[in-house]
């Protein structure tokens, strides 16, 4: 029996990971996100919920967490 590494679903995930890692824009967004976290520029769950409230009722029920 021959076992080939990185086949099937794993190959797709690997290719997607390589695409992200080779994207300068994705790496810039990651660096910006890490800097925002380090600076404390984050939302807690209550703040996020408050921001999403104006959108309530505009999404299908199955698309809203705990909806």
């Amino acid at each position: 029996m021959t076992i080939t590494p990185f086949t099937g679903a794993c190959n797709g995930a690997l290719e997607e990971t390589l695409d992200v890692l080779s994207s300068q824009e994705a790496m810039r967004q990651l660096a910006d996100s890490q800097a925002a976290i380090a600076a404390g520029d984050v939302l807690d769950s209550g703040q996020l919920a408050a921001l999403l409230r104006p959108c309530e009722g505009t999404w299908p029920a199955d698309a809203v967490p705990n909806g």
Side-chain angles (χ1 to χ4, degrees):
M1 176 199 299
T2 302
I3 299 174
T4 306
F6 306 117
T7 59
C10 291
N11 190 36
L14 178 62
E15 288 176 1
E16 287 181 31
T17 299
L18 292 174
D19 286 344
V20 169
L21 293 174
S22 65
S23 166
Q24 289 182 341
E25 177 62 17
M27 292 294 99
R28 184 196 60 74
Q29 290 175 358
L30 177 60
D32 289 350
S33 298
Q34 291 170 332
I37 291 168
D41 186 10
V42 296
L43 299 175
D44 64 24
S45 61
Q47 293 167 323
L48 179 59
L51 286 173
L52 293 177
R53 272 192 203 102
C55 298
E56 284 181 4
T58 61
W59 296 338
D62 63 348
V64 178
N66 303 318

